[in-house]
Structure formats: structure tokens, C-alpha cells
Amino acid sequence: MAAAHGRMSDSADGMDDVKDTEEADRRSGTPGPPAFLAAVDALRSCRLRPQVEVEPTPAPQRLAPYAYALEAVVVDGEQELADGRLVLLHDPAGHDAWRGTFRLVTLVRAELEAEMAADPLLPEVCWSWLTGALQARGLGYGEPSGTITRASSHYFGGLAERPAASQIEIRASWTPREGLGGVPDTAAHLASWCDLLAQVAGLPPAGPGDASVVTLPQRRGPQSR
């Protein structure tokens, strides 16, 4: 119904806007107001480095009135080096905690070598990768928050032959700054997120970059997604 897309205007122009929104919904297959649909279209049209495979995935339904999600895996031949999920949230009425109408939420995972997992500075380094990826593309953002978790698994009994494994997990969210029409540059944010995935996976930068940037060594990726 048209009312689901926002307040209906009493004017003929308002009704035309609602019809246009409904038509955009049908074309995209994703319901939502124009600003959200534009942000989603930008995500779908973003060109990424070939090692990062991205595809849509069901979005959470209770975090915001509108949501769109992508999942990604970093591959090197037959190996999966890292994986992750990026969710775009939109609340046209705004959200006090976000200080905006859009929010990006992410989960990134990768397996670690034992010596890297033991580094006491690893959480701070991983967080700097996230903020650095956004800053490297000149993206404005606010209200960042998140957690860095590292976990180790040791196997016993019937699984004793499996080597010990360590994993890093980055959970984070931030508010992308909105541009013209109240739409953030979601394509650039997706590209920066893929930069983060590639860095966690241990891949070299896609283009000219700072040689002093620390990356994880290449390794076998998560065993399960």
C-alpha cells in the first residue's frame, strides 16, 4: 500500500510521488523510500576488486524500518581467506543513537596465524584498519562503535588431529554522512569495507598505497561461514 512508503500528500503532486516510489520498488525488488532505494542501487552498481565476491543476503527485519544486506568472501584460488556481512539500515524519521537516518553494520571474520593471534596490539590494529579504510577514501562518518574479538580453538579426542585455530572477528557500525537528497555515498562505503576485508585477508592493496600499512599474512580462510 502507498501509505507504507511514508505520509501521503493531499495534493496531486504528492500522489504522483507515491506512484513513482511504488514503481521504483517494483523495478528494484526492494521496498523503501527514494533515498533508501538510491542507496541500495549504488551498492548494487559498485565495482569491486575481483578477489572479493559479493552477493545479496536476507537482511535483518527488526533493526530499522528498511534494511538491505550483502555478504562477501575473499578468495584466492580455491581458498577462502576472509568473509563478512554488511547491512545498510534506514530510518526516515532518524535515530538518536545514529545521529542520522542511515547506519552501516558489519561483521568481518578471518583465521589467524598463531603468532599474529598472540599479538596484544591486534585489536587496536584491526580497529584502525576499519577507520583507516574509510578515511583513505575520504568518507565522512560519525558515531562509530564496535568490538574486536579473537578466539582460539583447541581440539581433543576424536578431533585431536586437527591443528589449533585462531580467528579474528570485527563487529562494527557507523553512520555514513548523507549527501545530496539525503543519500550517503554507499558505493564508496562498500568499497572501503571491501578494502578492510582484503586487508584482514592479507591481500596487498588494490592500488598505490602506503607501504607502511600492516596487513595479515595470507592464510587459509574460515572453515565455516
Side-chain angles (χ1 to χ4, degrees):
M1 295 176 61
H5 302 295
R7 292 184 299 176
M8 294 178 61
S9 170
D10 293 333
S11 67
D13 290 342
M15 291 302 296
D16 289 340
D17 290 343
V18 169
K19 291 178 181 178
D20 290 343
T21 299
E22 289 179 328
E23 180 61 27
D25 288 356
R26 285 193 291 271
R27 288 197 306 267
S28 70
T30 302
F36 177 69
L37 295 177
V40 170
D41 285 344
L43 290 175
R44 290 170 170 162
S45 62
C46 183
R47 298 183 64 181
L48 306 170
R49 60 190 295 172
Q51 298 95 334
V52 183
E53 299 178 354
V54 178
E55 62 182 15
T57 190
Q61 300 299 310
R62 298 181 181 181
L63 298 180
Y66 304 97
Y68 182 79
L70 296 168
E71 62 181 6
V73 59
V74 181
V75 296
D76 180 25
E78 298 297 322
Q79 292 184 331
E80 294 186 3
L81 303 178
D83 62 26
R85 191 181 194 208
L86 183 69
V87 182
L88 174 68
L89 305 176
H90 179 53
D91 186 342
H95 196 293
D96 290 342
W98 303 352
R99 296 184 180 271
T101 62
F102 284 90
R103 188 75 170 171
L104 285 164
V105 182
T106 186
L107 164 67
V108 171
R109 301 180 302 178
E111 286 193 4
L112 301 174
E113 300 293 343
E115 59 271 20
M116 181 65 72
D119 187 342
L121 297 179
L122 182 64
E124 288 79 5
V125 170
C126 288
W127 183 256
S128 72
W129 290 343
L130 170 62
T131 58
L134 295 169
Q135 293 166 3
R137 292 184 179 270
L139 294 172
Y141 66 96
E143 309 306 314
S145 63
T147 60
I148 309 294
T149 304
R150 51 184 165 185
S152 298
S153 299
H154 299 265
Y155 302 95
F156 301 92
L159 300 176
E161 294 183 358
R162 294 180 60 176
S166 298
Q167 186 181 72
I168 190 74
E169 181 180 275
I170 303 172
R171 292 179 180 268
S173 62
W174 64 94
T175 298
R177 290 290 179 249
E178 298 168 11
L180 294 176
V183 182
D185 189 352
T186 50
H189 280 270
L190 174 58
S192 69
W193 180 69
C194 289
D195 292 342
L196 169 66
L197 271 170
Q199 192 164 22
V200 170
L203 297 182
D210 184 353
S212 67
V213 173
V214 177
T215 59
L216 295 180
Q218 288 193 10
R219 60 201 167 277
R220 181 171 51 83
Q223 295 177 351
S224 61
R225 297 176 59 193

